[in-house]
Amino acid sequence: MFDTRHIKSFHEVVRTGSYSAAARVLGYTQPAITQQMRALERDVGTPLFTRVGRGLRLTEAGETLARHAAVILDDMSAARQQMNSLTRLRAGRVRVCAFPSANATLVPEAMALLAAGHPGVGVELLEDEPPESLRRLVRGECDITLAFTYPGSHEDVPDEVLEVPLMEDQLLVLLPAGHPLARRRAVRLADLADERWIAGCPRCRVNFLHECAEQGFAPDIAFTTDDNLVVQSLVAEGLGAAMMPGLVLNFLRHPKVAGRALQPASRRRISAYVLREHLRIPATALVLGELRTVAANKIGC
């Protein structure tokens, strides 16, 4: 391994033709340059210069190193500039993996804030439902994961993963616009015990079955799909009721569907997950901060 200071001094000696001239350019004493060149020769294991009268001549090893020295210094300068850009948030790339409704609401708004304040920081969007999205974080496939949990459940994550709570997302009952209970502001699940139902993703379906059991009935599930548009279309055609997070209705609402709050209220918890050590990466911390800002302006945190 070469000391980069020695490489810089060697390059200046070659350029100026003497130790004393290099010392003047670099602000060293001539003995200091001599010591650095001796140390560099020890590192490479062979002389780099020979004396010719009062001048210096490169040995074959010196000529070889001289051809690479400028490239090494240029590469180091470029690396330093790129690192400065990353630490000063002029550049960087963050991979965010989120479930569909977060990718359609929280993430775009956070990216708009990011683009306005730090246009050099880019985001790569990935999509997955929990718990697979959490596994992708641990495997290093993304830098930030957005996931949701329901009351009574929690994510089983390793110690190196930090949970950052973002918001509570209220659950709603979806009914055809002409349904008699659609005239109410809030609906009890027990009042819909005789309805047919459209169930959502596996995690949502488990919570739905649990909440129905709490109300004393087992729902008649006619259809199962994790496509929110399909769920609403089925409800609109009178083929069943559904339970859906309010975040979905912020960006997607079928005109023939009515969303009504549950009574008693039910919510899911939305959190961001990040490897603890990645909080020290400026771009990752910045994106996480923008997500928190957006979430705080939604339903609440």
Side-chain angles (χ1 to χ4, degrees):
M1 297 295 293
F2 300 145
D3 188 317
T4 54
R5 294 172 301 171
H6 297 169
I7 293 294
K8 185 176 182 179
S9 296
F10 170 78
H11 178 67
E12 202 59 40
V13 170
V14 173
R15 191 183 70 83
T16 60
S18 71
Y19 288 180
S20 58
R24 285 193 299 271
V25 172
L26 297 173
Y28 292 132
T29 63
Q30 191 269 339
I33 293 293
T34 300
Q35 291 176 5
Q36 288 188 32
M37 293 305 94
R38 288 174 179 170
L40 184 57
E41 288 178 334
R42 286 195 299 271
D43 287 340
V44 300
T46 187
L48 298 171
F49 301 98
T50 58
R51 286 283 180 181
V52 180
R54 294 186 177 182
L56 296 173
R57 177 181 293 172
L58 288 169
T59 64
E60 183 179 0
E63 290 177 350
T64 300
L65 183 58
R67 288 195 296 270
H68 293 283
V71 175
I72 292 171
L73 294 173
D74 286 345
D75 286 348
M76 288 187 58
S77 177
R80 189 178 296 110
Q81 292 175 11
Q82 291 177 19
M83 294 303 294
N84 285 339
S85 293
L86 291 173
T87 55
R88 295 175 185 177
L89 292 172
R90 291 197 298 264
R93 191 159 192 83
V94 181
R95 300 165 298 170
V96 177
C97 183
F99 53 96
S101 56
N103 258 345
T105 52
L106 299 178
V107 174
E109 292 184 35
M111 296 312 95
L113 292 178
L114 185 69
H118 301 275
V121 178
V123 174
E124 178 182 348
L125 299 183
L126 306 171
E127 186 171 297
D128 223 328
E129 298 276 0
E132 181 57 29
S133 57
L134 272 297
R135 300 189 186 107
R136 296 184 71 172
L137 176 69
V138 175
R139 291 197 300 262
E141 297 175 10
C142 59
D143 304 301
I144 298 174
T145 283
L146 299 186
F148 59 87
T149 54
Y150 285 102
S153 66
H154 69 280
E155 294 294 353
D156 185 14
V157 296
D159 292 339
E160 64 265 27
V161 173
L162 175 69
E163 178 184 0
V164 180
L166 295 180
M167 61 180 288
E168 298 289 329
D169 187 16
Q170 185 171 351
L171 298 179
L172 305 173
V173 170
L174 295 189
L175 299 168
H179 194 286
L181 294 182
R183 293 191 292 269
R184 299 183 183 179
R185 296 183 60 182
V187 177
R188 295 191 313 121
L189 274 181
D191 294 337
L192 297 167
D194 295 330
E195 297 285 335
R196 301 177 77 199
W197 290 88
I198 297 98
C201 72
R203 178 168 291 199
C204 299
R205 186 160 60 251
V206 169
N207 176 72
F208 171 60
L209 291 172
H210 172 75
E211 296 216 19
C212 290
E214 289 284 305
Q215 295 293 316
F217 73 97
D220 176 14
I221 297 178
F223 303 97
T224 299
T225 175
D226 57 3
D227 187 316
N228 292 314
L229 180 58
V230 173
V231 170
Q232 293 196 40
S233 295
L234 292 170
V235 172
E237 295 300 327
L239 297 174
M243 184 184 292
M244 183 167 285
L247 197 62
V248 175
L249 297 183
N250 281 344
F251 72 95
L252 181 67
R253 185 186 290 269
H254 195 291
K256 296 182 179 180
V257 165
R260 296 294 178 261
L262 280 170
Q263 189 179 39
S266 180
R267 297 177 176 87
R268 66 175 181 174
R269 177 188 181 97
I270 297 176
S271 297
Y273 296 83
V274 62
L275 296 177
R276 294 179 187 275
E277 62 182 19
H278 284 186
L279 287 176
R280 299 169 56 191
I281 300 174
T284 300
L286 175 64
V287 171
L288 185 60
E290 302 291 31
L291 287 167
R292 295 181 71 177
T293 297
V294 169
N297 292 327
K298 289 284 185 188
I299 301 173
C301 188

